[in-house]
Amino acid sequence: MAYSIFNHIQGKKGSRWAEFVRETGTENLMLVAIDAAKYTQKAMICTFYGDILVKPFEFDASMTGFEYLNKIIRSEKAKNGLKEVVVGIETTGHYYEDLVRRCHSDGYHVRTLNAATTAQERQALLNWSKTDNLDLMAIVQSMIHGRGTSNKLASGNVLTLQKLTRARRELVEERTETQNLIRMHMDHIFREF
């Protein structure tokens, strides 16, 4: 059966995720939710159906911590006979970037999720409290529903251009804000001009 990329409710992005899930088989998928942070990160490992294989655990935001995470993932993958690992990471500041790069280099499928997506998922579950464990559950739910993107992070010239563009945008905003302040003070002090 052929599936058109234009015939999915989430468009091209949703179509690719649905095709990946269909080809791999839901029973062969392991989902790893990671809540990235500056010093101590948290992860949880589940099946595609939401069955928890490894309860939430913490690991350092270092190479040693990532190796610890990787060891647990490989162990659970072998123990449960799963074929593919999908890692879901919430985009928090820049702390998630190293995780994304490492997971890509280790051959995992990575889905990055906007923090607003997990907040919406918590709201849908009628749970407004915010804890790391609830964030992990929201990340898993979001991945199951096909939310998030699978794009690789920019590198090389593209990354340099992104940084340059963002710096320019900030400078333009600062200049505009300064001009507006000058105009406001001129209007207050020298109204006749």
Side-chain angles (χ1 to χ4, degrees), residues 94-123:
H94 62 277
Y95 304 123
Y96 75 99
E97 292 175 355
D98 287 336
L99 279 170
V100 170
R101 287 188 185 95
R102 287 293 309 173
C103 289
H104 271 299
S105 68
D106 284 3
Y108 302 143
H109 299 274
V110 180
R111 307 226 9 120
T112 54
L113 298 151
N114 189 306
T117 303
T118 54
Q120 236 178 1
E121 196 64 49
R122 277 194 313 276
Q123 189 176 13

Side-chain angles (χ1 to χ4, degrees), residues 2-193:
Y3 295 94
S4 170
I5 61 170
F6 302 110
N7 198 24
H8 194 276
I9 59 173
Q10 291 181 340
K12 192 175 180 181
K13 178 178 66 171
S15 179
R16 286 186 183 143
W17 172 249
E19 184 179 344
F20 169 73
V21 171
R22 233 182 259 110
E23 286 174 357
T24 307
T26 54
E27 68 281 355
N28 297 315
L29 287 174
M30 174 192 287
L31 303 182
V32 180
I34 299 176
D35 190 15
K38 186 173 185 175
Y39 299 115
T40 304
Q41 307 182 77
K42 214 161 189 186
M44 178 172 67
I45 302 175
C46 298
T47 66
F48 187 81
Y49 300 108
D51 300 322
I52 298 173
L53 300 174
V54 179
K55 290 183 179 181
F57 61 95
E58 293 181 346
F59 62 99
D60 290 337
S62 65
M63 200 56 194
T64 308
F66 184 78
E67 288 168 1
Y68 173 70
L69 171 70
N70 214 359
K71 185 178 98 178
I72 293 173
I73 290 172
R74 279 192 236 116
S75 167
E76 286 301 313
K77 185 178 174 187
K79 186 165 81 175
N80 293 290
L82 302 168
K83 293 181 183 173
E84 294 289 343
V85 177
V86 181
V87 178
I89 304 173
E90 185 179 28
T91 57
T92 48
H94 62 277
Y95 304 123
Y96 75 99
E97 292 175 355
D98 287 336
L99 279 170
V100 170
R101 287 188 185 95
R102 287 293 309 173
C103 289
H104 271 299
S105 68
D106 284 3
Y108 302 143
H109 299 274
V110 180
R111 307 226 9 120
T112 54
L113 298 151
N114 189 306
T117 303
T118 54
Q120 236 178 1
E121 196 64 49
R122 277 194 313 276
Q123 189 176 13
L125 296 170
L126 298 176
N127 192 338
W128 291 277
S129 56
K130 175 151 177 33
T131 67
D132 289 343
N133 289 355
L134 290 175
D135 280 349
L136 293 172
M137 290 176 200
I139 290 169
V140 169
Q141 278 298 120
S142 297
M143 286 193 309
I144 290 170
H145 292 131
R147 296 187 187 100
T149 59
S150 296
N151 299 337
K152 288 192 176 187
L153 293 176
S155 61
N157 288 338
V158 173
L159 179 62
T160 304
L161 287 171
Q162 275 183 348
K163 286 181 181 179
L164 184 64
T165 303
R166 288 177 185 148
R168 181 189 178 282
R169 187 180 312 131
E170 287 175 16
L171 288 172
V172 168
E173 287 173 3
E174 286 177 18
R175 183 187 67 189
T176 304
E177 187 177 319
T178 303
Q179 287 173 339
N180 289 341
L181 280 172
I182 291 170
R183 285 188 186 111
M184 180 191 71
H185 290 304
M186 289 295 290
D187 286 346
H188 285 222
I189 299 168
F190 304 107
R191 195 170 284 285
E192 63 274 7
F193 292 114

